[in-house]
Amino acid sequence: MYRQGDVLIVPVAEEAVPAHAAHAPRERRDGRGRLVLALGEVTGHAHAVVGSGELVREPGPYGPLLLHLPQGGRVVHEEHAVIVLPRGWFRVVRQREYVPGSVRIVAD
């Protein structure tokens, strides 16, 4: 497992990747060519993957992301150390905060 701030990145075995991932729409890269895992609404900073790969959003309002890195990759953020990921599949989960009566995604 890997953590960078409020983003948790968990390896997923190839056989455990959901079948819908093969046909699900891919997230677009930002203007800098990065795959953004989480964007800081307050700071404008981003947890992002640099390099080749694909990002699939799973259904639901808090649905995690599936990240596929066929050659590995690097997760960067302006205020955190770079994380080097091996090749493979990963589940990306945003930290959540309980607010009485609801749950919300933690924002930078």
Side-chain angles (χ1 to χ4, degrees):
M1 276 194 278
Y2 306 86
R3 177 171 290 284
Q4 189 183 67
D6 56 357
V7 174
L8 178 66
I9 303 167
V10 181
V12 176
E14 185 80 30
E15 59 274 5
V17 174
H20 72 269
H23 308 290
R26 297 332 197 215
E27 293 288 305
R28 293 181 180 219
R29 292 178 178 269
D30 71 357
R32 295 166 57 184
R34 307 172 304 172
L35 292 170
V36 175
L37 306 179
L39 181 62
E41 293 83 6
V42 175
T43 63
H45 296 160
H47 298 276
V49 174
V50 179
S52 64
E54 297 178 311
L55 192 58
V56 178
R57 184 170 303 279
E58 293 196 276
Y62 303 113
L65 301 167
L66 286 171
L67 174 64
H68 183 225
L69 299 174
Q71 285 126 16
R74 297 180 313 124
V75 182
V76 298
H77 186 278
E78 292 83 351
E79 297 173 337
H80 299 283
V82 171
I83 296 175
V84 177
L85 297 175
R87 66 188 184 111
W89 283 89
F90 301 87
R91 187 170 305 281
V92 180
V93 183
R94 295 282 309 272
Q95 183 173 332
R96 296 178 189 106
E97 178 177 70
Y98 174 75
V99 177
S102 68
V103 174
R104 72 176 186 92
I105 297 288
V106 173
D108 282 343

